[in-house]
């Protein structure tokens, strides 16, 4: 009997299962957490899933609702008594009949991916594009035949100085009712994108309305983060995040472009998916902030170029190949209703400009936040994701590029990799003498060698390694001498430790042996080498353009960058050598930049001007990229020295098995100081 391939999203885990295997059972075998509290009796409804339709070429899957069993009795009874949304199935009842792509809806997940993109605490000077203007209007007079709207506009000009205001058409039929409800006193919401630019009356309220709200949203290829803020006080009322549902169409950006190319309805499907997720997030932050959705008057969005295009409903196909032409690179100002984001009827949406074909509005927002263009020091800003966006510069000159790192840093393409969720290993230390690991798991407080860990692990599980954990384990394996400078797992160590396991001609490192066996294979090490080499090569190209051999400051941005230990980033050679005190995780800098543009319109003008001065470097066209890439495959680098790192960490000697005929075992690195945490 032929087994069927099943891919679970957003975890990316996959496996083959016999016909009639319940989807819930398949998920459990793969370590995909699907909530079920009724023991599979179809009562609780927590195990809901969605089957995706279409051809997923990257995964070699054609998924269809015909590849799943028909509604069973439990599902019929549940849908009659409870809410089972269209397209959803109970995974305890639904059985596999063919290849499937199965999406785990985030609203059903208790142990959901940890989307770590909270707003930072910085104070942003308030000067929003929305101004609330209270006026008292003259009552109509037989001797003064001005209309109600005209008298409102006169009062606004007299009290607030706004001349020649435009007005949103939807208000024309509401003006008289609002004016009389407020007893001739109203609050006008005026949208003025920049000082001196034409302003528009976008909302009108009876009486005094002393609050207005806005949202700032970072649309990442993996996660979406949103912040709800008061436009009057600048206070952040609520923050929330979710997985980007487009993951089911492709884990990396080029896979999503390919999906659009191969599926005529692909663009529309991905646009609908991301807008749906954003609308759900808006409902969530409104509930947390205890406000009405109709009180949101302004919205700012950022994202990489492909997310930018798909969110706006633009086909991203041109971004799939040279010259990587953007449909629109400048800032976008539109009504929110025009892109199916229902807020206040007069609400506006602003999208920051993109820097280049693969350096998007998110990189522009991060630049706005960290301000390399405002300082004298040479600052490197890196947003580490499936497509790394790199900005290098100072007040004199700023350059930018992107580098295709792929999803390996986020746990995809790694045999034991998974997204950051309870059960994922996020911190690791390896004893260089015994080669024994100790690790910390999301959702479990003790480390693996501390009392109480195994008991907690029985409940939470140890299901894989997330992105920050992948970085640490590869770095620790290098420091412990398990892998050479060139990334080869040293099979000679098998005689010394049963953690080193033979796999034919290569070897793996056994991280955990239990219900789920977690190993790091030679292929896994290579995937990280390829990703980090692509990132480092992109950075080196920018350094070449700037004519510098070192950087003064490094900012690691994004949800993933925020949780990388800077020391391990240097050990692996993700970024060039730098004083460790000047290598910082800068959090969700793109989200912060979006908040800055939301709360202060002057930042919109600043970034629009700055983007025009940033020089864009296309890595694919640079002849030295390959040379830098090859050198960067080594740990930390084949030719570049890391003197500042070696002040803190004693790196292994540059001797590896690929260079020595006698197979001499490379010496392990050791920490020089007390900086090592855990």
């Amino acid at each position: 009997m032929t087994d069927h391939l099943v891919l679970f999203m957003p975890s990316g885990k996959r496996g083959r299962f016999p016909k009639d295997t319940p989807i819930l059972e398949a998920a459990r075998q793969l370590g995909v957490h699907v909530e079920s509290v009724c023991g599979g009796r179809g009562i609780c409804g927590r195990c809901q899933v969605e089957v995706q339709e279409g051809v997923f070429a990257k995964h070699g899957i054609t998924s269809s609702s015909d590849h799943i069993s028909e509604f069973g009795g439990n599902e019929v009874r549940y849908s009659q008594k409870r809410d089972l949304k269209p397209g959803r199935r109970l995974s305890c009842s639904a059985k596999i009949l063919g290849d499937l792509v199965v999406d785990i809806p985030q609203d059903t997940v208790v142990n959901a991916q940890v989307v770590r993109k909270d707003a930072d605490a910085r104070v942003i000077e308030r000067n929003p594009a929305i101004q609330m203007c209270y006026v008292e209007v003259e009552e109509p007079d037989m001797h003064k035949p001005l209309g109600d709207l005209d008298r409102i506009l006169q009062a606004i000009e007299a009290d607030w100085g706004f001349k020649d205001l435009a007005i949103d058409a939807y208000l024309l039929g509401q003006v008289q009712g609002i004016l009389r409800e407020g007893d001739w006193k109203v609050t006008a919401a005026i949208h003025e994108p920049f000082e001196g630019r034409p302003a528009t009356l976008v909302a009108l309220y009876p009486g005094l309305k002393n609050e207005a709200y806005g949202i700032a949203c970072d649309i990442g290829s993996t996660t979406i983060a949103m912040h709800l803020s008061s436009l009057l006080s600048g206070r952040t009322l609520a923050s929330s995040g979710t997985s980007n549902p487009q993951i089911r169409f492709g884990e990396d950006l080029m896979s999503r472009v390919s999906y659009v190319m191969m599926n005529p309805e692909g663009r529309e499907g991905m646009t609908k998916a991301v807008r749906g997720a954003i609308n759900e997030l808006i409902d969530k932050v409104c509930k947390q902030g205890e406000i009405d959705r109709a009180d949101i008057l302004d919205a700012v969005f950022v994202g990489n170029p492909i997310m930018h295009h798909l969110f706006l409903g633009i086909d991203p196909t041109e971004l799939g190949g040279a010259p990587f032409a953007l449909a629109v690179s400048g800032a976008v100002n539109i009504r929110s209703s025009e892109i199916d984001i229902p807020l206040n009827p007069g609400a506006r949406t602003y999208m920051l400009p993109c820097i280049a074909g693969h350096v998007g509005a998110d990189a522009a927002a991060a630049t706005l936040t960290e301000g390399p263009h405002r300082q004298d020091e040479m600052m490197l800003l890196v947003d580490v994701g499936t497509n790394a966006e790199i900005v290098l510069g100072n007040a004199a000159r700023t350059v930018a590029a992107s580098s295709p790192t792929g999803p390996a840093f986020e746990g995809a393409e790694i045999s034991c990799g998974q997204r950051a969720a309870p059960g994922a290993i996020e911190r690791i230390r390896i004893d260089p003498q015994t080669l024994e690991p100790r690790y910390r798991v999301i959702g479990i407080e003790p480390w693996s060698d501390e009392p109480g860990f195994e008991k907690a692990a029985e409940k939470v599980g140890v299901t894989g390694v997330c992105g920050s954990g992948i970085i640490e384990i590869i770095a620790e394996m290098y420091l412990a001498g398990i892998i050479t400078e060139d990334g080869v797992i040293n099979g000679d160590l098998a005689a010394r430790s049963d953690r080193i396991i033979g796999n034919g001609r290569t070897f793996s490192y056994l991280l955990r042996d239990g219900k789920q066996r977690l190993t790091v294979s030679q292929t896994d090490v290579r995937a990280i080498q390829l990703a980090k080499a692509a990132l480092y090569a992109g950075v080196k190209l920018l350094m070449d353009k700037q004519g510098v051999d070192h950087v003064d400051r490094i900012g690691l941005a994004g949800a993933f960058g925020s949780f990388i230990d800077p020391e391990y980033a240097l050990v692996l050679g993700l970024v060039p050598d730098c004083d460790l005190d000047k290598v910082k995780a800068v959090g969700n800098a793109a989200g912060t930049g979006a908040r800055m543009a939301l709360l202060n319109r002057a930042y919109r003008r600043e970034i629009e001007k700055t983007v025009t001065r940033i020089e864009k470097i296309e890595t694919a066209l640079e002849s030295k990229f390959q040379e830098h890439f090859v050198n960067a495959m080594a740990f930390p680098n084949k030719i570049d020295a890391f003197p500042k790192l070696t002040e803190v960490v004693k790196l292994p000697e540059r001797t590896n098995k690929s260079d020595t005929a006698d197979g001499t075992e490379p010496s392990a690195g050791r920490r020089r100081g007390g900086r090592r945490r855990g």
Side-chain angles (χ1 to χ4, degrees), residues 219-221 244 246 250-261 267 270-271 274 302-321 324-328 351 354 356-362 386-387 389 402:
I219 308 173
S221 54
N244 189 330
Q246 292 177 346
E251 291 174 341
D252 57 67
L253 296 174
M254 286 301 102
S255 294
R256 296 181 204 179
V257 175
S258 297
Y259 187 85
V260 172
M261 292 176 177
R267 196 282 305 159
M270 280 193 271
T271 296
V274 73
V302 299
N304 63 59
I306 291 170
M307 295 301 97
H308 169 282
H309 276 39
L310 288 171
F311 173 62
L312 292 175
I314 301 170
D315 190 323
T317 299
E318 292 298 324
L319 294 171
F324 311 107
L326 290 155
V328 55
M351 286 203 79
C354 292
H358 282 294
V359 188
D362 52 351
T386 54
N387 186 65
E389 294 171 310
S402 67

Side-chain angles (χ1 to χ4, degrees), residues 464-538:
V465 185
C466 69
S468 61
I470 293 290
I471 296 299
E472 292 200 5
I473 190 170
I474 301 297
E476 282 282 322
M477 287 171 69
Y478 171 58
L479 291 174
I482 296 171
I483 56 178
T484 67
E485 175 194 349
D486 286 344
V488 177
I489 297 178
N490 185 0
D492 289 348
L493 296 179
R496 179 174 141 197
S497 170
D498 57 8
R499 292 280 174 182
I500 309 301
I501 304 169
N503 307 113
R505 298 178 63 184
T506 62
F507 293 84
S508 298
Y509 176 74
L510 177 62
L511 179 59
R512 179 178 174 83
D513 196 4
K515 188 175 181 180
Q516 283 187 252
R517 201 171 202 234
L518 305 180
T519 62
V520 179
S521 70
Q522 185 65 66
T523 302
D524 297 335
V525 177
R526 284 285 180 259
I528 292 299
Q529 284 181 279
L530 292 168
K532 76 99 174 178
L535 173 56
Y536 193 93

Side-chain angles (χ1 to χ4, degrees), residues 46-323:
R46 294 281 190 89
C47 67
Q48 295 179 30
V49 297
E50 294 177 356
V51 172
Q52 302 305 316
E53 298 266 355
V55 178
F56 298 83
K58 178 183 176 182
H59 306 294
I61 296 176
T62 299
S63 179
S64 168
S65 57
D66 294 335
H67 296 176
I68 193 171
S69 60
E70 295 183 359
F71 260 65
N74 287 344
E75 290 177 295
V76 172
R77 284 190 292 273
Y78 181 85
S79 61
Q80 289 172 344
K81 296 180 180 179
R82 306 280 291 278
D83 177 32
L84 189 61
K85 295 179 181 179
R88 290 196 177 179
R89 300 293 301 271
L90 298 183
S91 63
C92 63
S93 299
K95 296 180 178 179
I96 298 166
L97 301 181
D99 292 354
L100 293 170
V101 174
V102 179
D103 194 37
I104 312 298
Q106 293 300 294
D107 59 3
T108 68
V109 180
V110 175
N111 277 10
Q113 177 185 352
V114 181
V115 180
R116 304 187 265 200
K117 290 194 175 184
D118 293 334
D120 69 11
R122 78 176 59 201
V123 176
I124 300 169
E125 184 182 352
R126 193 190 62 80
N127 180 22
I130 295 288
Q131 191 167 344
M132 303 297 282
C133 304
Y134 173 79
V135 292
E136 297 183 0
V137 183
E138 286 186 10
E139 295 187 34
D141 189 319
M142 292 284 288
H143 303 290
K144 296 180 180 179
L146 275 179
D148 287 346
L149 174 60
D150 302 275
R151 282 180 288 106
I152 290 173
L153 296 177
Q154 273 191 347
I156 292 172
E157 181 177 348
D159 293 354
W160 296 91
F162 287 106
K163 296 182 179 181
D164 302 321
L165 274 178
I167 181 170
D168 274 1
Y170 86 93
L171 286 171
L172 295 174
Q174 302 179 19
V175 167
Q176 291 191 308
I178 292 171
L179 196 53
R180 283 154 182 80
E181 183 183 345
D183 192 24
W184 313 104
K185 303 175 185 67
V186 295
T187 300
I190 310 295
H191 178 260
E192 187 181 30
F194 295 129
E195 215 169 306
R197 291 277 185 92
T200 305
L201 175 61
V202 298
L204 195 66
Y205 302 91
L208 175 65
K209 177 76 169 178
N210 59 3
E211 193 54 280
Y213 304 96
I215 55 172
C217 185
D218 172 20
I219 308 173
S221 54
T222 304
T223 58
I224 304 171
M226 182 177 291
H227 311 295
L228 171 69
S229 297
S230 164
L231 297 178
L232 302 189
S233 69
R235 184 169 62 94
T236 298
L237 281 73
S239 297
S240 189
T242 188
S243 296
N244 189 330
Q246 292 177 346
I247 289 173
R248 63 177 174 261
F249 300 100
E251 291 174 341
D252 57 67
L253 296 174
M254 286 301 102
S255 294
R256 296 181 204 179
V257 175
S258 297
Y259 187 85
V260 172
M261 292 176 177
M262 297 176 65
N263 295 272
E265 306 300 323
R267 196 282 305 159
E268 183 180 350
M270 280 193 271
T271 296
K272 184 177 179 181
V274 73
R275 289 178 181 175
I278 287 168
N279 278 315
E280 289 178 7
L281 270 184
I282 293 171
D283 287 337
K284 191 172 180 179
V285 294
C286 286
K287 185 176 180 180
Q288 290 175 3
E290 299 180 341
I291 73 155
D292 193 304
R293 187 171 177 139
D295 286 335
I296 297 176
L297 293 170
D298 203 9
V300 174
F301 290 88
V302 299
N304 63 59
I306 291 170
M307 295 301 97
H308 169 282
H309 276 39
L310 288 171
F311 173 62
L312 292 175
I314 301 170
D315 190 323
T317 299
E318 292 298 324
L319 294 171

Side-chain angles (χ1 to χ4, degrees), residues 334-652:
I334 53 177
R335 288 178 172 83
S336 302
S337 58
E338 294 174 338
I339 51 173
D340 300 324
I341 304 296
L343 305 169
N344 183 284
R348 289 331 196 238
T349 283
Y350 174 82
M351 286 203 79
L352 272 69
C354 292
I355 296 175
H358 282 294
V359 188
D362 52 351
T367 301
L368 180 63
T369 301
E370 294 305 311
H373 58 289
R374 304 187 201 107
Q375 55 189 274
D376 294 328
E377 287 186 309
M378 185 61 65
M379 181 181 184
L380 172 65
L381 181 61
V382 181
D383 190 336
V384 186
T386 54
N387 186 65
E389 294 171 310
I390 312 163
V391 178
L392 177 67
N394 54 21
R397 185 189 183 200
T398 305
V399 293
S402 67
S403 204
T405 52
F409 285 148
E410 297 183 343
E413 299 182 353
I414 304 297
S415 60
C416 61
Q418 69 165 83
R419 302 196 185 280
I425 295 173
E426 62 173 347
R427 291 284 179 261
I428 301 166
R429 303 291 180 264
I430 297 176
D431 187 303
Q433 303 304 318
T434 65
L435 307 186
E436 287 298 305
R438 54 189 297 267
Y439 42 83
R440 190 167 184 177
V441 175
I442 298 174
I444 301 177
E445 187 63 27
W447 282 68
S448 60
D449 60 345
E450 294 176 347
F453 174 84
E454 290 300 336
K455 184 176 181 181
E458 289 178 6
K459 182 178 180 181
V460 177
V462 182
T463 53
V465 185
C466 69
S468 61
I470 293 290
I471 296 299
E472 292 200 5
I473 190 170
I474 301 297
E476 282 282 322
M477 287 171 69
Y478 171 58
L479 291 174
I482 296 171
I483 56 178
T484 67
E485 175 194 349
D486 286 344
V488 177
I489 297 178
N490 185 0
D492 289 348
L493 296 179
R496 179 174 141 197
S497 170
D498 57 8
R499 292 280 174 182
I500 309 301
I501 304 169
N503 307 113
R505 298 178 63 184
T506 62
F507 293 84
S508 298
Y509 176 74
L510 177 62
L511 179 59
R512 179 178 174 83
D513 196 4
K515 188 175 181 180
Q516 283 187 252
R517 201 171 202 234
L518 305 180
T519 62
V520 179
S521 70
Q522 185 65 66
T523 302
D524 297 335
V525 177
R526 284 285 180 259
I528 292 299
Q529 284 181 279
L530 292 168
K532 76 99 174 178
L535 173 56
Y536 193 93
V539 173
K540 284 290 289 184
L541 280 179
L542 296 191
M543 293 174 68
D544 291 344
K545 295 295 180 181
Q546 289 280 23
V548 299
D549 59 7
H550 73 281
V551 297
D552 301 313
R553 187 178 299 276
I554 299 175
L556 300 172
F560 174 58
S562 298
F563 286 86
I564 300 174
D565 186 318
E567 195 170 290
Y568 287 116
L570 288 172
V571 168
L572 280 193
L574 265 69
V575 291
D577 190 45
C578 186
D579 187 335
L580 274 171
D581 291 334
K582 292 190 175 183
V583 184
K584 303 290 185 184
V586 296
N588 182 19
T592 300
R595 285 179 55 237
M596 291 170 66
L598 174 70
L599 297 175
N600 192 327
R601 59 188 173 170
Y603 287 125
R604 302 184 185 189
R605 174 165 286 179
E606 176 186 336
I607 195 58
E608 288 181 22
K609 288 182 177 179
T610 300
V611 162
T612 63
R613 295 196 295 266
I614 295 176
E615 299 173 43
K616 298 85 177 176
I617 309 301
E618 181 50 61
T619 56
L621 303 179
E622 295 292 329
S623 58
K624 290 201 71 175
F625 181 85
Q626 189 64 25
E627 178 185 336
H628 290 319
F629 180 87
V630 170
N631 291 330
M633 283 289 287
F635 297 121
N637 193 279
K638 193 167 187 176
I639 62 172
D640 289 351
F642 281 70
K644 294 187 182 298
L645 175 63
T646 55
E647 292 174 4
V648 179
V649 179
K650 183 178 183 297
L651 298 177

